[in-house]
Each structure stands twice: as C-alpha cells, then as structure tokens.
C-alpha cells in the first residue's frame, strides 16, 4: 500500500517497530497564494497564516471551466445507510448533472517543498498536462507555467534561471518573469515591430495559481480559475501535525499505476498484514475488520471500525485520504497509553497510468526513532525512506497485475471497471467497505476517471508494458526527486570511490616498507577499505533497486 500501510498493521494490538514517515513536528502551518496585488491577511484560527499574491494571468484566455468548487465534507455530514455493493444507484447517478465532480476546480499538491530545487526548473504532469515548477527569487514565490515556450513550444522545464532570476528557455533564450510576461527576446531588433513583440500577449507563458501550504506546493490546474482558487482552501492536515507531542515525516514517489488503482489501495487497510509482512504488518495478525460507513457524498466519504486498534478513514475528493489509528496499550512504569498515528496521503493523478504519492504521517510515541530537530533524533530522513520504499515495492507488482486484469475487462465489455466492479471482483467482507465506497464515488461523481487534459489513451498504460525492474525503479521514481536521498546517494558514491582508491593505494604500497609490521598494517587497511566499499555498494541498492519477492519473506 502506498500510504495507509506505511506505519502499522491495523489488526495488531502490539506493534512492530514503527519507523516510517516520521520527522520533526511543524510549529506553524503556512499558506502562500499567488494573487495581485500582494495582500497579507492573518487569521488566528488554528494559528495558520495565509498570504495572498498576484491574481493575474499573462496568457491568452482559454475556455473557462464552468463547474463550481467542492468544499470538504465532514465526518458526520450524512448519516444515511449505504449499500455499496449494489448497482441500483444508477438512477441517482444519472438524476442530475450537478452530481458530477469538477476535477479542475481543486488544489492539487504537486511536491513537497523540501524536495524542490530553488535553482532550477522542475517538470511535473498534472491531469495529463505538462507543467514546469520554478522559484521566482524576486518575489520569493513558487510559480507554475504550462511547460511550453510560446515561441516554438519547446519545454521550459529544460531551461534555466538566468542572471536576473527569470525562467529562460534553453532553445532560443526567451526569458519570462514570475507573472509569465516575456521580458527578453534575444533575436528581436531593439526598434520597430520586433521590439514590440516582447510586450505581446502571445509572447507570454501560461501561468497557473499556486499556493504553499503545510510544506507542500499546490497548483490549481485551470489558468482561468484564479477567483475560484482564491476562494478555496487547500486540503489541510489534522491539527495534531502542529502539536509538539507528535513527530512527523514526509515522502513522495511517482508510481506507474493509475490514480484509481492507488486510491483503491490506500482505501484498503486489510492488505497490510500480507502485502507488507515483516515491514509494517504480520500475516499471523490478520483478523476481521468490520468497517462501517458514516457519511458519503460528492465531497468523498468517511467511516471507521470499533475495536483496538480503531481505524477512522476519510476520503476528501479528489485525492486526499486520511487514516487515523488509535491504539489503547499499557506499558510498564507509565501505565495506560493512547497511541495515535495519522497517515495522510495525497494521491495525485499525473497522467493515465501514472500517479504521485505524497504521504505525511505523524505519531505521538517513540519519537526518538525518527528524524527530527532534537539532538537525540539521529535517524536520517533517507534511512526512513528505505523502509517506506519497501512498502511501495510490496504493493507495486501486485497492483501492476491487478491493473492489467482491470484493463482487459474494460476492453472486453462496454462498461467501465467501476460499473462492473462488483461482478468482476468478489468482496464479501466488510474489510472491503472503503474500497467499494471509493469505486462507488468514482462511478457516481467522478465520471469513472480524472478529467484529463488532451487526448488520453487508457489502453496503453505503463503497467502493461514496463518490466518488474522498471516498476521497482526507486532511483527514477523517488531518489532523483528527494533532496535527502539524492544527497545521501551522492555521498555514498563519493565515499565508495574514496575507499576503493584507498584500498588500491594500500595494496600497491604494502610490499614497499621493509618492516613486516608496517606491511601487515597496510594490507589490513587495504582489506578494511575494500570491505567497507563493498558494504557501501550494497547499501546503495536501497536508493536504486531492490527486488521484492513476497514468497522469500517467511
């Protein structure tokens, strides 16, 4: 599972070491929205600060999205009993066009801020649209453009930040400021019509609303949706993330299976004990999970179980899923304790068959085993990601196979998978309640798939053509996009080269000294250096590729 399985087996009353996704607790939640003119407003509610900056688009207008923005639903908003397995909801599905969900009228988190590079542009796909993310030093703002230069449509993500802090296209050197305005065309004459081309609306890059909140960069995927973006709050992490007693950590990874496949996976706590055996669960701890739905609607759904541990789940459309795990336990000397774990995942639809998983987790116990600012929190973030990537890998091949079957079923019949779901799968237990709730939401409100930009090919998904090695490629999917792992991997490589050089040097000189003791010392250093270099080489696999075979885990 890509998120809700990352910390704990929900069926276990005693926990294995919980070491995934935890880092220092934040003290303040900050939101930055790009609007004009720069406005600063402060609210004491939840001690969050909101900054508003330029509400303008320097690009030719396109057809605006007409559907309205959805507000987040509440856990107890609708108490009606829900039969998720029946298809008798078709009439309700078709009863009103207003029940359809607007995919483009929402904030989408596209990256953790700590994993973005301020000094170079970063490419990203959102709803099958290519974007470029870059930091505007003149306004200290993160900016999102359509990833194409208006000149000859070259990708701006292949460009650079010039000496003025503007985004410069690498093809012909056109430069753009943070508002998307073209500020320089090197080929234009200083006088006449060519000189005026710089100020033309056709020379401007298309800009999207952006917001920085809770350590995440959010993008609103409609360049004409600035007013709606300004009026809409992003999905928020629970208040516990700001409390000192909670330690938190984050991770992101790009996965080569579809949004619906990942959302179904994070809605399924019952797979943890088997898919993540000896990572975050154990096979012998599996037991019934009688989940009950508490509310559902166009906004999403919520539900929970009773027992210990208690798992409360909430899906806020289109891509935010929260799991709260509460465990009553008793420890020597300290007595009764209530452990709380939050696993909040953003499952961002990048393109058909490709999804970014961003997970933010928090817990109020064993903080010393996770990264943090305190002197006693010595576990590095990259080491936590090794465990997290085991969780992703444990799901990867299983979900690849599942997606292939769903795709073949879609090609065989006229209906989409969501309408056929209860006939092509067998889900007799309440443990699958949230999975059915998501498929029901996607069918009734989400048009059975995200609202992709451009023409999308649903029948040639990456999972149908990629090899196992490509599906489990940590380097491309995570390491290159994680500031901590990228730096650690580079350090490991440098240290390995040094140790290899030292081993060669000691070996070459071990026969030179006449003193036998010195020869032995040099030979010993050679063997030690070679051994350490071998260990480092083996550890580096955690940044690149580790084969995952479920049958090999006893």
């Amino acid at each position: 599972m890509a998120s809700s399985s990352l910390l704990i087996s929900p069926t276990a009353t005693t926990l294995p070491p919980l070491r995934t996704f935890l880092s220092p607790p934040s003290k303040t939640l900050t939101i930055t929205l790009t609007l004009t003119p720069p406005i600063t407003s402060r609210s004491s509610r939840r001690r969050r600060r909101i900054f508003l900056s330029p509400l303008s688009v320097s690009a030719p207008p396109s057809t605006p999205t007409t559907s309205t923005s959805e507000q987040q639903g509440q856990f107890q908003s609708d108490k009606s009993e829900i039969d998720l397995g029946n298809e008798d909801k078709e009439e309700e599905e078709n009863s009103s066009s207003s029940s359809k969900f607007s995919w483009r009228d929402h904030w989408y988190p596209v990256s953790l801020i700590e994993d973005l590079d301020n000094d170079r542009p970063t490419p990203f796909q959102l709803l099958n649209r290519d974007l470029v993310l870059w930091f505007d030093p003149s306004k200290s703002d993160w900016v999102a453009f359509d990833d194409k230069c208006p000149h000859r449509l070259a990708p701006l993500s292949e460009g650079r930040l010039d000496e003025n802090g503007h985004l410069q296209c690498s093809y012909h050197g056109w430069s753009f400021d943070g508002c998307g305005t073209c500020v320089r065309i090197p080929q234009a004459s200083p006088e006449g019509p060519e000189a005026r081309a710089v100020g033309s609306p056709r020379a401007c890059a298309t800009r999207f609303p952006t917001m920085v909140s809770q350590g995440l960069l959010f993008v609103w995927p409609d360049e004409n949706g600035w007013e709606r973006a300004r009026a809409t709050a992003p999905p928020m992490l629970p208040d516990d993330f700001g409390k000192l007693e909670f330690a938190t950590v984050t991770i992101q990874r790009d996965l080569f299976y579809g949004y619906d496949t990942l959302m179904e996976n994070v809605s399924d706590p019952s797979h943890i004990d088997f898919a993540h055996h000896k990572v975050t669960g154990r096979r012998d701890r599996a037991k019934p999970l009688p989940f009950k739905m508490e509310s559902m609607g166009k906004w999403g759904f919520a539900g929970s179980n009773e027992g210990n541990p208690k798992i409360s789940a909430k899906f806020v459309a289109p891509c935010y899923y929260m799991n709260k795990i509460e465990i009553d336990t008793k420890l020597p000397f300290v007595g009764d304790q209530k452990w709380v774990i939050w696993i909040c995942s953003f499952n961002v639809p990048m393109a058909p068959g490709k999804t970014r998983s961003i997970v933010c987790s928090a817990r109020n116990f064993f903080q010393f085993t996770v990264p943090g600012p305190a002197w006693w929190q010595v576990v590095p973030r990259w080491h936590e990601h090794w465990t997290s990537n085991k969780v992703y890998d444990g799901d990867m091949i299983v979900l690849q196979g599942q997606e292939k079957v769903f795709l073949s079923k879609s090609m065989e019949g006229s209906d989409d998978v969501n309408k056929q779901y209860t006939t092509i799968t067998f889900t007799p237990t309440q443990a699958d309640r949230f999975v059915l709730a998501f498929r029901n939401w996607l069918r009734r409100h989400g048009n059975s798939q995200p609202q992709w930009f451009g023409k999308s090919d649903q029948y040639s998904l990456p999972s149908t053509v990629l090899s196992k090695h490509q599906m489990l490629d940590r380097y491309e999917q995570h390491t290159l996009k994680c500031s901590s792992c990228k730096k650690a991997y580079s350090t490991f490589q440098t240290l390995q080269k040094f140790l290899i050089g030292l081993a060669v040097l000691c070996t070459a000189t071990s026969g030179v000294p006449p003193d036998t003791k010195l020869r032995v010392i040099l030979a010993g250093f050679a063997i030690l250096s070679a051994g350490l270099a071998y260990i480092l080489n083996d550890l580096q696999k955690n940044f690149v590729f580790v084969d995952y075979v479920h049958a090999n885990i006893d």
Side-chain angles (χ1 to χ4, degrees):
M1 168 180 192
S3 63
S4 62
S5 62
L6 291 169
L7 281 175
I8 181 172
S9 164
T11 62
T13 56
T14 60
L15 297 177
L18 302 180
R19 303 188 49 189
T20 308
F21 291 162
L22 302 174
S23 75
S26 59
K27 306 299 187 300
T28 307
L29 299 179
T30 304
I31 301 176
T32 305
L33 175 61
T34 312
L35 304 168
T36 283
I39 303 171
T40 302
S41 64
R42 296 175 179 253
S43 172
S44 60
R45 185 182 179 183
R46 297 186 183 181
R47 295 173 294 178
R48 293 176 181 135
R49 295 178 297 170
I50 300 179
F51 301 94
L52 306 179
S53 42
L55 184 59
S56 61
V57 126
S58 304
S62 62
T63 305
T65 304
T66 58
S67 49
T68 58
S69 175
E70 278 303 309
Q71 300 298 321
Q72 295 183 19
Q74 302 300 318
F75 266 101
Q76 307 293 332
S77 65
D78 180 6
K79 291 294 184 180
S80 59
E81 189 67 27
I82 302 161
D83 181 5
L84 297 172
N86 295 332
E87 289 295 318
D88 58 5
K89 298 294 184 179
E90 292 294 334
E91 181 178 352
E92 184 176 353
E93 177 188 14
N94 298 320
S95 62
S96 171
S97 61
S98 64
S99 68
K100 294 301 180 182
F101 181 79
S102 175
W103 289 86
R104 299 178 186 178
D105 281 344
H106 293 270
W107 288 108
Y108 289 84
V110 295
S111 181
L112 295 161
I113 291 295
E114 64 182 313
D115 291 328
L116 286 171
D117 191 339
N118 289 30
D119 299 323
R120 61 178 59 197
T122 301
F124 189 76
Q125 276 186 304
L126 180 59
L127 295 174
N128 207 37
R129 188 166 189 173
D130 292 324
L131 307 178
V132 56
L133 315 172
W134 64 285
F135 186 74
D136 180 9
S138 65
K139 297 181 180 178
S140 296
D141 279 339
W142 283 97
V143 181
F145 286 171
D146 203 359
D147 193 14
K148 58 184 180 184
C149 179
H151 176 215
R152 300 261 293 279
L153 309 183
L156 291 172
S157 58
E158 290 296 325
R160 58 182 285 271
L161 299 188
D162 65 17
E163 58 278 1
N164 298 313
H166 299 142
L167 179 60
Q168 184 180 82
C169 179
S170 61
Y171 198 15
H172 295 92
W174 288 32
S175 295
F176 306 88
D177 65 15
C179 293
T181 303
C182 182
V183 294
R184 183 170 183 259
I185 300 178
Q187 297 81 16
S189 300
E191 297 177 355
E194 289 188 358
R196 294 192 293 271
V198 175
S200 171
R202 295 189 62 188
C204 296
T206 301
R207 184 187 176 200
F208 298 90
T210 55
M211 174 188 292
V212 173
S213 172
Q214 310 153 97
L216 294 162
L217 175 60
F218 288 82
V219 173
W220 188 276
D222 180 7
E223 66 268 35
N224 296 298
W226 291 81
E227 290 296 333
R228 293 191 299 276
R230 181 174 59 181
T232 305
M236 303 301 294
L237 296 172
D239 289 340
D240 284 347
F241 277 74
K243 296 179 180 178
L244 292 176
E245 62 266 31
F246 280 81
T248 66
V249 79
T250 55
I251 188 175
Q252 63 187 24
R253 180 167 171 176
D254 295 343
L255 307 170
F256 284 112
Y257 43 80
Y259 157 84
D260 59 332
T261 302
L262 178 57
M263 278 302 312
E264 178 183 315
N265 177 247
V266 301
S267 303
D268 174 28
S270 65
H271 80 282
I272 296 171
D273 288 319
F274 294 92
H276 309 305
H277 177 59
K278 290 189 176 179
V279 180
T280 58
R282 293 187 65 91
R283 296 175 187 134
D284 57 359
R285 291 174 178 166
K287 67 178 184 180
L289 291 174
F291 291 119
K292 293 183 179 180
M293 301 305 299
E294 297 172 350
S295 59
M296 75 180 304
K298 187 164 59 172
W299 61 269
F301 61 81
S304 64
N305 74 323
E306 295 296 334
N308 187 30
K310 179 180 179 180
I311 303 173
S312 302
K314 182 178 180 182
F315 165 56
V316 180
C319 63
Y320 185 30
Y321 202 95
M322 291 178 282
N323 279 299
K324 183 181 182 182
I325 302 118
E326 299 172 274
I327 306 152
D328 293 319
T329 188
K330 189 171 185 179
L331 299 177
F333 306 112
V334 295
D336 293 337
Q337 298 285 306
K338 180 177 282 292
W339 291 349
V340 177
I341 305 167
W342 285 97
I343 308 172
C344 301
S345 64
F346 298 92
N347 310 289
V348 187
M350 300 176 68
K354 188 177 182 181
T355 314
R356 171 162 288 188
S357 169
I358 303 175
V359 180
C360 306
S361 297
R363 74 179 184 206
N364 65 349
F365 59 95
F366 293 161
Q367 293 92 333
F368 61 88
T369 64
V370 298
W375 64 268
W376 42 266
Q377 291 178 300
V378 297
V379 178
R381 182 175 179 242
W382 54 263
H383 190 270
E384 289 294 319
H385 288 180
W386 287 1
T387 304
S388 304
N389 277 315
K390 287 182 182 178
V391 177
Y392 284 117
D393 292 347
D395 284 326
M396 194 77 70
I397 301 304
V398 177
L399 297 181
Q400 181 188 27
Q402 180 193 53
E403 191 165 85
K404 287 180 180 179
V405 174
F406 282 158
L407 181 60
S408 66
K409 293 293 183 182
S410 296
M411 297 175 69
E412 291 173 5
S414 57
D415 290 336
D416 67 79
V417 166
N418 299 289
K419 292 180 180 179
Q420 303 179 68
Y421 195 83
T422 55
T423 59
I424 63 179
T425 65
F426 182 49
T427 51
T429 71
Q430 293 184 64
D432 292 317
R433 213 83 195 277
F434 298 152
V435 173
L436 296 175
F438 169 71
R439 288 292 178 178
N440 192 52
W441 175 88
L442 191 60
R443 173 180 61 86
R444 291 174 55 195
H445 303 294
N447 197 34
S448 292
Q449 64 173 315
Q451 185 182 0
W452 305 113
F453 286 93
K455 184 179 179 181
S456 61
D457 185 0
Q458 295 288 330
Y459 299 106
S460 60
L461 302 181
S463 61
T464 64
V465 296
L466 296 182
S467 66
K468 183 178 183 180
H469 193 287
Q470 290 171 315
M471 291 292 293
L472 298 178
D473 186 351
R474 296 184 182 183
Y475 183 73
E476 291 288 341
Q477 298 172 17
H478 172 71
T479 301
L480 283 176
K481 302 172 178 67
C482 172
S483 58
S484 302
C485 291
K486 186 177 181 180
K487 182 178 180 181
Y489 181 52
S490 177
T491 302
F492 274 45
Q493 287 182 311
T494 301
L495 186 56
Q496 182 188 8
K497 291 176 183 177
F498 171 78
L499 289 171
I500 291 173
L502 183 61
V504 171
L505 179 63
C506 291
T507 301
T509 57
S510 61
V512 175
D515 190 346
T516 303
K517 292 183 179 179
L518 187 55
R519 291 182 181 182
V520 171
I521 292 173
L522 288 173
F525 270 115
I527 294 172
L528 178 62
S529 300
L532 291 175
Y534 176 81
I535 293 172
L536 281 176
N537 181 70
D538 194 59
L539 291 175
Q540 286 179 59
K541 296 176 182 177
N542 290 285
F543 296 112
V544 182
F545 169 81
V546 177
D547 193 13
Y548 200 101
V549 181
H550 287 275
N552 291 344
I553 306 175
D554 296 327

